[in-house]
Amino acid sequence: METNSAVSKGNAVNVREMIAEKKSSRNFRNIIEKIMPKLLLVIASISILTTIGILYTLLSETIEFFQRVPLIDFFTGTILKPLSQNPEFGVLPLLTGTIISSVIAMFVAIPIGLMTAIYLSEYATDKVRRLVKPILEILAGIPTIVYGFFALTFVTPILREWIPSLQATNILSPGIVMGIMIIPMVASLSEDAMSSVPNSMREGALALGSTKLEVTGKVIIPAAMSGIIASFVLGISRAIGETMIVTIASGSTKNFTFDITQSMQTMTAYIVEVTGGDAPAGSTIYYSLYAVAATLFVFTFFMNLFARYISRRFREEY
């Protein structure tokens, strides 16, 4: 009897210890459950706070610039001479250079990237896909400064043989090379969008007697149009924000022209020139780089809003 009593007491002690351990474990889990949402909120707020900091910096310095230079003169001026005796700060030469170089880049990147995506998604075998995709990834990983020297020392001399009037620094060559750089982005994202289309849609179209090309053009591309447009938008944003290629190959001449054979400067190249030059802090030319950066920010922001609207419309239709 005494042995049984001792055993029962021992079992009771073990049960109490197990209950205490479970309670402490439950308390610890409850503490973690309370802390984690707050920690994740802080981490998620970093990007928002960063954006607010960027906006504050741009706006505060841009306001200072527009207190010295009229807003109308900045956005309608066709002459940019920040270092002359009578400085002028018209942003139109930089806007035209940025838009023209981006348009040239997308004329190269969109058709080649989309055709590549169609081939990889609908026609290529697994062996070919495994070979081509790493090559595209290597192309995407090349530093942009290498692309810049490639445009200046290789592409431009070839183009000058076909276009004698082409200047040594021009907007055509960096535009083409930017397009080559953006091809992997457009191709990869578009291919992912087309690959995500259910196979049942392909099989249904083929069962109705459609050819492979008809299925691609009339079923797959419309169904994946939202993702395809997203790849185009990212490509355009990449072209607008590109710095090193245009800085090296397009020159620093602030021409307001639509002649792609001439040397032109983009907004990003101007920012590089000012930050790397002798512009003293607090001068008008120093504040002008913030005004140009704010213009670039607003331009890209509204373009992304428009692209999201178009993408949403296609998603609703298909």
Side-chain angles (χ1 to χ4, degrees), residues 66-127:
F66 286 124
Q67 290 176 349
R68 305 184 183 191
V69 177
L71 185 70
I72 296 177
D73 292 348
F74 179 73
F75 285 107
T76 62
T78 59
I79 300 174
L80 180 60
K81 294 181 179 179
L83 297 174
S84 64
Q85 293 292 333
N86 298 312
E88 297 185 58
F89 293 93
V91 78
L92 285 181
L94 303 180
L95 276 174
T96 55
T98 301
I99 293 172
I100 289 174
S101 63
S102 300
V103 169
I104 294 171
M106 298 319 294
F107 267 113
V108 174
I110 287 178
I112 298 177
L114 184 57
M115 294 302 107
T116 303
I118 291 173
Y119 174 73
L120 290 175
S121 174
E122 305 301 319
Y123 293 95
T125 62
D126 290 339
K127 182 178 180 180

Side-chain angles (χ1 to χ4, degrees), residues 11-278:
N11 292 334
V13 171
N14 292 334
V15 170
R16 291 194 199 98
E17 291 178 354
M18 292 175 62
I19 293 173
E21 289 178 0
K22 287 185 177 180
K23 285 183 178 180
S24 62
S25 176
R26 189 180 297 112
N27 292 334
F28 178 75
R29 289 165 60 187
N30 291 335
I31 293 172
I32 294 297
E33 286 295 324
K34 292 179 180 179
I35 293 176
M36 285 307 296
K38 297 178 182 178
L39 179 62
L40 294 174
L41 176 62
V42 171
I43 294 173
S45 301
I46 292 175
S47 60
I48 299 174
L49 295 175
T50 302
T51 303
I52 293 173
I54 292 172
L55 287 175
Y56 173 77
T57 303
L58 287 178
L59 287 176
S60 60
E61 304 294 350
T62 301
I63 291 171
E64 178 65 29
F65 172 77
F66 286 124
Q67 290 176 349
R68 305 184 183 191
V69 177
L71 185 70
I72 296 177
D73 292 348
F74 179 73
F75 285 107
T76 62
T78 59
I79 300 174
L80 180 60
K81 294 181 179 179
L83 297 174
S84 64
Q85 293 292 333
N86 298 312
E88 297 185 58
F89 293 93
V91 78
L92 285 181
L94 303 180
L95 276 174
T96 55
T98 301
I99 293 172
I100 289 174
S101 63
S102 300
V103 169
I104 294 171
M106 298 319 294
F107 267 113
V108 174
I110 287 178
I112 298 177
L114 184 57
M115 294 302 107
T116 303
I118 291 173
Y119 174 73
L120 290 175
S121 174
E122 305 301 319
Y123 293 95
T125 62
D126 290 339
K127 182 178 180 180
V128 173
R129 192 179 293 111
R130 287 195 300 268
L131 176 65
V132 173
K133 286 204 107 179
I135 295 175
L136 288 176
E137 292 172 0
I138 292 173
L139 193 64
I142 297 175
T144 56
I145 192 169
V146 176
Y147 278 113
F149 283 109
F150 174 73
L152 180 65
T153 61
F154 183 80
V155 177
T156 297
I158 292 177
L159 292 177
R160 294 186 75 180
E161 294 181 1
W162 297 344
I163 310 173
S165 61
L166 190 70
Q167 294 186 359
T169 54
N170 57 84
I171 203 66
L172 176 61
S173 175
I176 293 173
V177 174
M178 277 198 300
I180 295 172
M181 178 191 67
I182 296 169
I183 286 173
M185 178 186 296
V186 174
S188 179
L189 294 176
S190 298
E191 192 265 337
D192 290 341
M194 287 187 282
S195 297
S196 65
V197 176
N199 283 328
S200 58
M201 297 180 66
R202 294 180 176 85
E203 294 167 356
L206 291 171
L208 291 173
S210 300
T211 63
K212 191 87 169 176
L213 184 61
E214 289 173 336
V215 172
T216 302
K218 296 181 180 180
V219 177
I220 303 302
I221 291 180
M225 187 59 70
S226 176
I228 292 172
I229 290 179
S231 72
F232 293 168
V233 173
L234 288 174
I236 294 171
S237 299
R238 183 72 177 85
I240 291 174
E242 174 51 39
T243 303
M244 293 310 302
I245 295 176
V246 290
T247 300
I248 294 172
S250 67
S252 59
T253 307
K254 301 161 183 62
N255 287 329
F256 178 65
T257 178
F258 296 96
D259 186 358
I260 60 176
T261 65
Q262 302 295 312
S263 175
M264 303 173 69
Q265 191 173 46
T266 65
M267 288 187 280
T268 52
Y270 175 79
I271 293 172
V272 171
E273 180 187 8
V274 173
T275 54
D278 298 325

